[in-house]
Amino acid sequence: MRRERLNDRFVELSSLLDPVNPPKTDKAAILSDAARLVTQLRNEAQKLKDSNESLQEKIKELKAEKNELREEKQKLKAEKESLEQQVKLLNARPSFVPQPPLVPSLFPAQGQAAGHKLMVPVVSYPSFPMWQFMPPADVDTSQDADKCPPVA
């Protein structure tokens, strides 16, 4: 009865090792096939473990990089907010260069007569050009030769 159970187990093992072909009856061939398959499966398991370890290391590296990027993003966000505050403060402060006075219609528009001008003294500031406070018609020099012919 013991031999029958062993023989049944060998037939079962043979059918597991090679399910396509009919079961082998040679016990030595069945054992050698089983040993070969076990070795093959162990090698495959080792390769999978190594691959798993390398992937775990890669995951750790990527998580560290992700955390570094988050920290950098937070620093950049804080720097951006600081710069925005500085810009707001600079825009809120009065500038050292005076703005042109807001006096209505000191200079006539281009279609108005020149006799209706108000004369306003021009105050100059040292080392600061005043041409930007002049009306565009006075700054334009393209018509000077026609308006003021040369004296000779």
Side-chain angles (χ1 to χ4, degrees), residues 17-28:
L17 293 175
D18 195 7
V20 178
N21 296 329
K24 297 180 181 177
T25 55
D26 184 21
K27 294 178 184 177

Side-chain angles (χ1 to χ4, degrees), residues 88-109:
K88 284 181 183 177
L89 288 176
L90 286 176
N91 288 337
R93 289 184 190 163
S95 65
F96 294 108
V97 178
Q99 299 295 323
L102 297 175
V103 177
S105 68
L106 283 180
F107 304 107

Side-chain angles (χ1 to χ4, degrees), residues 105-107 114-122:
S105 68
L106 283 180
F107 304 107
H116 293 53
K117 282 188 183 178
L118 294 175
M119 295 302 288
V120 177
V122 177

Side-chain angles (χ1 to χ4, degrees), residues 45-58:
Q46 186 61 40
K47 286 180 186 177
L48 290 173
K49 284 181 185 178
D50 293 342
S51 174
N52 189 20
E53 288 175 7
S54 68
L55 289 174
Q56 292 294 336
E57 290 176 16
K58 185 74 171 175

Side-chain angles (χ1 to χ4, degrees), residues 5-125:
R5 277 193 305 181
L6 282 175
N7 288 336
D8 289 342
R9 297 287 180 209
F10 273 110
V11 170
E12 186 180 336
L13 181 60
S14 176
S15 65
L16 286 174
L17 293 175
D18 195 7
V20 178
N21 296 329
K24 297 180 181 177
T25 55
D26 184 21
K27 294 178 184 177
I30 293 172
L31 288 176
S32 66
D33 286 347
R36 180 185 44 80
L37 184 62
V38 167
T39 305
Q40 181 182 352
L41 290 174
R42 282 185 182 165
N43 290 338
E44 188 176 329
Q46 186 61 40
K47 286 180 186 177
L48 290 173
K49 284 181 185 178
D50 293 342
S51 174
N52 189 20
E53 288 175 7
S54 68
L55 289 174
Q56 292 294 336
E57 290 176 16
K58 185 74 171 175
I59 287 172
K60 287 179 184 178
E61 291 172 5
L62 290 174
K63 283 183 179 179
E65 185 177 347
K66 180 175 123 181
N67 290 335
E68 290 174 6
L69 289 173
R70 276 189 182 156
E71 290 172 5
E72 185 178 354
K73 179 182 175 185
Q74 292 298 327
K75 288 178 185 176
L76 289 173
K77 199 180 268 189
E79 185 178 347
K80 176 187 168 196
E81 290 173 2
S82 171
L83 290 173
E84 286 175 351
Q85 290 296 326
Q86 289 177 4
V87 167
K88 284 181 183 177
L89 288 176
L90 286 176
N91 288 337
R93 289 184 190 163
S95 65
F96 294 108
V97 178
Q99 299 295 323
L102 297 175
V103 177
S105 68
L106 283 180
F107 304 107
Q110 294 217 339
Q112 290 181 347
H116 293 53
K117 282 188 183 178
L118 294 175
M119 295 302 288
V120 177
V122 177
V123 179
S124 73
Y125 297 96

Side-chain angles (χ1 to χ4, degrees), residues 110 131 134-145 147:
Q110 294 217 339
W131 61 266
M134 297 174 67
D138 289 348
V139 176
D140 184 21
T141 59
S142 64
Q143 303 291 325
D144 282 355
K147 290 180 181 177

